[in-house]
Amino acid sequence: MAQKGLARDMVVRAALELLDEAGLDGLSVRRLAARLGVQNPALYWHFRNKQELLDEMSRELLAPDMGGPREGESWRDWLTRRAYAYRRMLLSHRDGARLVTTSDPGPGVARVFEEELKALVGLGFTPAQGLHAISSISHYTVGFVLNEQAQREREARGDAQELAAYADFPFTVAAVREGGAPRSEEAFAYGLRLILDGLAASTHT
């Protein structure tokens, strides 16, 4: 049958390409079927509904960037590297952060997370401290990227304001010139350091 010949991973790759073109709001089963040159029922052979497709797309993004520390790597260096890898992954696709926040990561990602948690316990964290450490950094990264990608959408529509528009707010302008915009690389690094410093102080590791 035609639907059996349509590989699941092919559907997911095509869906991610469509996501880059149309955004999460423009992604639909109908448009995806048209892109693949099939009828809608062919996709429902693999995914019962759009949410299942979104879940699989999210898992495709998440799985490659998860994993424990490298040989001799400190927990701080590992979590820093993990945060930057996670941010790059979310930014690699239009609305990547929105996709991840609206999807179920599934048991495969949960198993990798369990291994990460085990690694943190081996580095001196309690299970609860490790859980909250990874969750806090992940939530911070997702929230940061949500703002970054929303700004990109505003810029694409021509709605974003230039720095000159804030002439009546001299301290804001001075802050941006000194330390970068709130959605800049400098801002992300600063916020991440605050979290890591807090973890170091609270865990004494």
Side-chain angles (χ1 to χ4, degrees):
M1 297 175 66
Q3 59 263 40
K4 289 184 178 180
L6 189 62
R8 187 181 179 93
D9 60 345
M10 180 191 303
V11 175
V12 174
R13 286 196 301 270
L16 289 170
E17 292 173 358
L18 182 56
L19 177 69
D20 287 336
E21 294 176 10
L24 194 59
D25 294 331
L27 176 65
S28 68
V29 173
R30 178 185 59 80
R31 293 183 70 174
L32 180 58
R35 185 183 189 89
L36 291 166
V38 299
Q39 299 298 314
N40 287 14
L43 300 184
Y44 291 123
W45 176 265
H46 296 293
F47 306 100
R48 290 177 298 177
N49 50 51
K50 181 180 176 180
Q51 187 57 56
E52 278 197 2
L53 173 62
L54 295 178
D55 291 345
E56 193 65 25
M57 292 167 63
S58 179
R59 292 163 195 163
E60 178 73 14
L61 293 183
L62 286 170
D65 284 319
M66 300 181 71
R70 296 167 180 165
E71 183 72 26
E73 191 173 32
S74 69
W75 68 263
R76 187 178 183 117
D77 287 343
W78 167 39
L79 292 182
T80 298
R81 177 172 59 82
R82 186 187 187 281
Y84 276 98
Y86 191 38
R87 179 168 172 248
R88 284 194 302 272
M89 178 274 295
L90 295 172
L91 287 170
S92 68
H93 288 279
R94 181 178 175 183
D95 288 334
R98 285 182 62 200
L99 171 65
V100 168
T101 57
T102 57
S103 305
D104 178 5
V109 174
R111 280 191 291 271
V112 177
F113 181 84
E114 174 73 8
E115 290 302 311
E116 291 185 326
L117 188 55
K118 179 180 177 181
L120 272 184
V121 170
L123 291 170
F125 287 69
T126 68
Q129 288 172 336
L131 172 65
H132 295 311
I134 294 175
S135 296
S136 295
I137 292 174
S138 296
H139 292 160
Y140 165 69
T141 304
V142 169
F144 196 94
V145 175
L146 279 170
N147 275 281
E148 285 185 283
Q149 294 185 318
Q151 176 69 10
R152 288 183 180 182
E153 291 294 327
R154 288 193 292 271
E155 290 173 352
R157 296 193 305 267
D159 296 338
Q161 288 185 309
E162 300 293 334
L163 186 61
Y166 294 93
D168 292 335
F169 306 96
F171 286 98
T172 300
V173 173
V176 169
R177 286 175 174 162
E178 177 186 348
R183 286 172 291 273
S184 65
E185 295 287 337
E186 296 88 347
F188 180 77
Y190 184 83
L192 182 59
R193 283 197 302 271
L194 290 180
I195 296 174
L196 294 170
D197 289 346
L199 288 173
S202 63
T203 60
H204 307 291
T205 56

